[in-house]
Amino acid sequence: MERRVLWAPWRAEYVGGKREPGCIFCPPEGPLPDEERLILYRDEKVLVLMNKFPYNTGHLLVSPRRHVAELEDLSREEITDLMVMAQECLRILRQVLKPDGFNVGFNLGKVAGAGYPDHLHLQIVPRWEGDANFLAVLADLRMIPEHLVATYRKLYPHFERLRNNKK
C-alpha cells in the first residue's frame, strides 16, 4: 500500500510554538512585506489578514487598528468600521472562493480560544458542503487544499481595488 503524505509546512511554526513578536494586529510598517505577513488590507481604521493557521482556506481575521481587547470598549464608529469591512470580506470571499457558507464571530479572552486575547478580532471562516471530513473528526487535523500564499494572491487584488476605491 502506498503511503500518502499531507504536506503543510506552514503548520510547523504553529506546532513548534513560535510566534511573531508583538501583536500581529499592530504590525509596524517596514521590514516584512504585507504578503509575508498575509495582510490583505489596512487603513487607518481596520486591518484584514489571513489566518496563518487557518481552519479552512480563506480564513480571515478582521480587527480594529486600535489595540483593544474588549468589544464593549470599541466606539460605535470602530464597531461600524469593523462590520462594514466584514461585509466587504464576505463579498470578496463569495466572489473568489465561492463557499457555501461562513462561520463569523469573535473569540473574546484566552479561555474562549482567542490566540491574541489582547487585541480583539473577528474571524471569518469560509465553509463548503462536506468540508468537515474525517481528518478533523479522527485526528484533530484539517486539510487545507491550497497554499496560503496562493489564496493570498487570489484575494489581494480585490482588497487592492477596495483600498483604491476608498481614496
Side-chain angles (χ1 to χ4, degrees), residues 5-6 13 20 22-23 28 31 59 61 73 75 79-80 90 97 101-103 108 111 120 123 125 132 135 142-143 158:
V5 176
L6 289 176
E13 187 177 334
E20 284 185 40
C23 176
H59 183 167
L61 306 172
D73 291 340
S75 69
I79 290 170
T80 300
L90 292 169
L97 301 180
F102 295 93
N103 292 115
L108 300 174
V111 69
L120 73 85
Q123 308 232 8
V125 182
L135 292 173
R142 289 177 174 73
M143 173 66 140
H158 299 272

Side-chain angles (χ1 to χ4, degrees), residues 2-167:
E2 179 184 342
R3 175 177 281 201
R4 295 172 56 178
V5 176
L6 289 176
W7 185 71
W10 60 87
R11 298 287 299 168
E13 187 177 334
Y14 179 76
V15 172
K18 291 183 181 178
R19 287 185 94 138
E20 284 185 40
C23 176
I24 64 169
F25 302 106
C26 299
E29 300 292 333
L32 294 176
D34 282 354
E35 182 175 312
E36 193 170 322
R37 290 183 180 147
L38 301 174
I39 296 171
L40 289 165
Y41 180 90
R42 71 167 111 195
D43 63 24
E44 65 280 350
K45 299 174 183 179
V46 296
L47 176 78
V48 178
L49 66 143
M50 292 177 59
N51 190 325
K52 203 174 199 177
F53 310 110
Y55 289 109
N56 241 344
T57 300
H59 183 167
L60 301 183
L61 306 172
V62 183
S63 72
R65 291 299 299 266
R66 185 165 67 97
H67 190 85
V68 60
E70 303 300 335
L71 186 60
E72 59 270 27
D73 291 340
L74 291 178
S75 69
R76 287 185 186 272
E77 182 181 5
E78 288 172 314
I79 290 170
T80 300
D81 294 338
L82 196 65
M83 296 313 291
V84 167
M85 183 52 66
Q87 288 179 314
E88 295 293 347
C89 290
L90 292 169
R91 284 185 190 102
I92 290 169
L93 289 168
R94 282 185 208 282
Q95 180 183 355
V96 177
L97 301 180
K98 300 179 180 14
D100 297 318
F102 295 93
N103 292 115
V104 178
F106 294 96
N107 295 335
L108 300 174
K110 188 173 183 172
V111 69
Y116 287 86
D118 295 333
H119 197 139
L120 73 85
H121 52 282
L122 182 67
Q123 308 232 8
I124 301 176
V125 182
R127 301 299 305 267
W128 288 267
E129 193 71 41
D131 68 8
N133 61 36
F134 74 97
L135 292 173
V137 175
L138 298 179
D140 193 27
L141 180 69
R142 289 177 174 73
M143 173 66 140
I144 308 297
E146 182 173 70
H147 195 282
L148 291 171
V149 174
T151 306
Y152 178 92
R153 289 179 180 158
K154 282 182 183 175
L155 296 174
Y156 184 82
H158 299 272
F159 284 95
E160 182 68 17
R161 272 195 295 282
L162 182 63
R163 185 175 14 265
N164 290 335
N165 289 340
K166 286 192 169 197
K167 290 182 181 178

